[in-house]
Amino acid sequence: MTSNQELIDRGLRTVWHPCTQMKDHERVPPIPVRRGDGVWLEDFDGNRYIDAISSWWVNLFGHANPYINTALRNQAKQLEHVILAGCTHEPVVRLSEQLAAITPGNLKRCFYAENGSAAIEIALKMSFQYWKNNGQTGKTRFVNLENSYHGETIGALSVGDVSIFKDTFEPLLLKPYTVPSPDAYCREPGESAEEYALRRAGDLARTLEEHAHQICAVIIEPLVQCAGGMRMHHPAYLMKLRELCDIHDVHLIADECAVGFGRTGTMFACEQADITPDFMCLAKGLTAGYLPLSAVVTSDRIYQAFYDEYDSLKGFLHSHSYTGNPLCCAVALATLELFEEHDAIEQNKALSSFMAQATERFEDHPHVSDVRQTGMIVAIEMVQDKASKTPYPWQERRGMRVYEYAIQNQALLRPLGNVVYFMPPYVITPEEIQLLCDVAWEGISRATN
Ligand SMILES: *Cc1c(COP(=O)(O)O)cnc(C)c1O
């Protein structure tokens, strides 16, 4: 029998963990996970943890979900993989039909990759090439928002704006025009989230007025900037953004990698502003946390700009080895079936109002400046000084203290800097939410003591 300690020791000799200063593991080792069951993870010594962050925001219907397991097993017996250039298969056709049906407006055409970052690269390249194919070679730049996050590959990192991930690589990156974020946390006292969003849309308008002739697209995480600390904005910004993109002949790329698939209370965040982007990037929840798959869904108008004789060189000559992998597509289809079967969007309404109630008390915590929520995401902002919203210096790593307390007490929380958040699988129960709140309260109290 493997024990926690044995696996930790062996792992630390060979595995390089993502987004980690490996030296941290001298003090806080990785959690050796033996199995998952619903919202729970279990280690080799039988300790259990609620996966409050859906394993980096991917899991929707619990670990080791029997329905998805069956779909995966059945597909594996039939066809595990085939090249998608020159071949097609049933799971990818069915999934494309379904995505075309559930995404907003005229989004009808699906291009696949293996992760969110690759989906972003594809949207950037497609947007650029669309303009090039139409003879507009001066459009070579992108507009992004302050504090945004779009992934880690060079292009995706370029259009992000989280300095801890980006600064090191700055000399390698594309240079976007960065506009202020509509993040409601930054609004002035007495200003509503909507007023603030509209004020920030004014900044965007000025950038587009000046530079639209150079700009391919504006890229945004609709409603919630997740990696940037679960910062949330009013949908009015998205409506204005759509209007401005139309006026200035610039594409709108909606990065729904994290917020798609019911996370914000609607199937897609864009629905809450009633807008259709030119490109919608989907990843994470697309396979309910099972397998790496992403998609860029776009309109027929975009697609037609690439459709021509081969020697026009207007085709989109981009691929990945596992593009449209049948196992991934079968799991994505099973995920969409579970949405129907569980009536997940409707069920989440009850769960998110329970989360609202259960986290209300954090507003009174002396070191909490903000408790915010969009659908199935609740974030709690720890601060040094509540009145002035003065943050703790990042070097103090207060969030890490919350993490350490939580893993001793049955919860896997993974604060983003000073922001403690819950983004649980949709199969969590009110009792489990309550447990998370109790652990987070105590963890925050100790971390800020
Ligand atoms: C996670 C994420 C990505 C990148 O997806 P990966 O699969 O990690 O490459 C892109 N955009 C957003 C908004 C994300 O949250």
Side-chain angles (χ1 to χ4, degrees):
M1 271 284 281
T2 311
S3 69
N4 277 359
Q5 199 55 53
E6 186 199 332
L7 200 72
I8 289 167
D9 292 342
R10 280 169 53 202
L12 288 179
R13 281 196 285 274
T14 48
V15 182
W16 195 338
H17 290 271
C19 199
T20 298
Q21 170 46 265
M22 290 297 289
K23 193 168 195 300
D24 278 353
H25 284 323
E26 288 178 9
R27 204 173 57 77
V28 186
I31 305 168
V33 179
R34 186 173 76 89
R35 58 190 293 273
D37 180 14
V39 298
W40 291 92
L41 297 170
E42 189 181 310
D43 69 18
F44 286 80
D45 298 344
N47 304 304
R48 282 163 31 100
Y49 314 85
I50 297 180
D51 187 353
I53 55 163
S54 297
S55 283
W56 250 341
W57 323 338
V58 296
N59 194 290
L60 302 185
F61 295 110
H63 294 276
N65 182 290
Y67 188 80
I68 300 179
N69 285 352
T70 303
L72 179 55
R73 215 178 296 118
N74 290 342
Q75 183 57 44
K77 286 185 208 152
Q78 193 73 26
L79 175 68
E80 80 306 332
H81 184 63
V82 68
I83 178 173
L84 195 64
C87 296
T88 190
H89 53 81
E90 202 176 342
V92 80
V93 172
R94 286 183 53 218
L95 180 60
S96 304
E97 288 168 353
Q98 296 254 330
L99 291 178
I102 63 172
T103 49
N106 58 356
L107 298 176
K108 288 283 170 277
R109 196 49 81 163
C110 304
F111 194 101
Y112 294 93
E114 294 128 14
N115 58 67
S117 304
I120 298 301
E121 302 288 345
I122 289 163
L124 298 176
K125 286 176 69 178
M126 271 186 182
S127 174
F128 169 80
Q129 192 180 342
Y130 170 92
W131 298 115
K132 184 168 191 287
N133 284 356
N134 282 335
Q136 299 211 40
T137 50
K139 283 184 178 280
T140 57
R141 307 279 300 269
F142 295 91
V143 174
N144 70 344
L145 269 60
E146 270 174 7
N147 194 43
S148 55
Y149 178 86
H150 298 290
E152 302 293 350
T153 52
I154 298 290
L157 192 62
S158 297
V159 291
D161 186 52
V162 178
S163 56
I164 195 159
F165 303 133
K166 187 170 180 179
D167 286 359
T168 307
F169 303 100
E170 199 63 58
L172 305 181
L173 304 180
L174 305 173
K175 306 272 177 266
Y177 289 110
T178 303
V179 297
S181 166
D183 174 2
Y185 186 67
C186 301
R187 69 190 187 272
E188 295 297 325
E191 189 175 30
S192 73
E194 182 171 10
E195 286 161 351
Y196 187 66
L198 293 173
R199 185 148 69 84
R200 287 314 183 198
D203 300 315
L204 173 66
R206 278 184 289 280
T207 298
L208 290 179
E209 273 154 30
E210 200 172 333
H211 302 292
H213 61 286
Q214 297 179 293
I215 292 170
C216 300
V218 180
I219 183 166
I220 187 168
E221 297 162 87
L223 297 187
V224 188
Q225 295 187 314
C226 294
M230 301 297 163
R231 294 299 183 85
M232 301 172 183
H233 59 256
H234 193 278
Y237 189 84
L238 300 174
M239 295 180 212
K240 267 283 177 244
L241 169 62
R242 180 67 274 181
E243 261 177 58
L244 289 167
C245 288
D246 288 340
I247 291 171
H248 293 286
D249 222 9
V250 157
H251 292 143
L252 168 49
I253 302 173
D255 177 358
E256 296 231 11
C257 287
V259 294
F261 298 99
R263 207 28 98 175
T264 65
T266 43
M267 194 62 171
F268 301 104
C270 284
E271 291 171 33
Q272 294 184 42
D274 200 16
I275 60 158
T276 303
D278 298 287
F279 301 93
M280 185 180 272
C281 300
L282 303 173
K284 296 200 167 91
L286 175 57
T287 60
Y290 258 70
L291 288 171
L293 179 69
S294 63
V296 178
V297 193
T298 190
S299 66
D300 194 54
R301 191 169 72 87
I302 304 277
Y303 175 75
Q304 288 303 336
F306 294 77
Y307 197 90
D308 204 343
E309 300 302 330
Y310 184 84
D311 61 9
S312 71
L313 294 179
K314 286 188 174 178
F316 189 58
L317 304 185
H318 179 112
S319 64
H320 296 284
S321 312
Y322 286 99
T323 296
N325 173 266
L327 294 171
C328 298
C329 292
V331 163
L333 284 163
T335 301
L336 293 176
E337 283 157 19
L338 283 176
F339 266 97
E340 292 265 305
E341 194 168 310
H342 286 227
D343 200 5
I345 301 290
E346 207 46 43
Q347 292 293 322
N348 282 356
K349 288 186 183 146
L351 274 179
S352 51
S353 63
F354 187 84
M355 290 212 288
Q357 263 173 45
T359 50
E360 218 172 19
R361 66 184 287 225
F362 286 89
E363 311 233 7
D364 300 326
H365 196 285
H367 287 286
V368 169
S369 61
D370 194 32
V371 182
R372 50 184 177 266
Q373 179 175 17
T374 302
M376 292 296 289
I377 309 172
V378 176
I380 299 161
E381 187 101 19
M382 288 191 292
V383 283
Q384 189 162 349
D385 184 68
K386 193 177 173 99
S388 62
K389 295 186 177 176
T390 308
Y392 287 105
W394 63 268
Q395 295 88 340
E396 292 179 7
R397 305 185 75 188
R398 302 270 170 167
M400 188 73 180
R401 301 185 204 179
V402 179
Y403 168 84
E404 286 180 55
Y405 175 80
I407 53 171
Q408 303 298 326
N409 291 278
Q410 298 198 297
L412 174 59
L413 298 173
R414 200 172 191 279
L416 293 154
N418 294 320
V419 178
V420 178
Y421 69 92
F422 308 139
M423 194 159 168
Y426 305 160
V427 292
I428 196 166
T429 64
E431 294 71 34
E432 289 158 347
I433 292 170
Q434 193 56 55
L435 191 153
L436 288 181
C437 290
D438 295 343
V439 172
W441 179 274
E442 187 60 27
I444 290 172
S445 298
R446 290 176 182 223
T448 57
N449 196 330

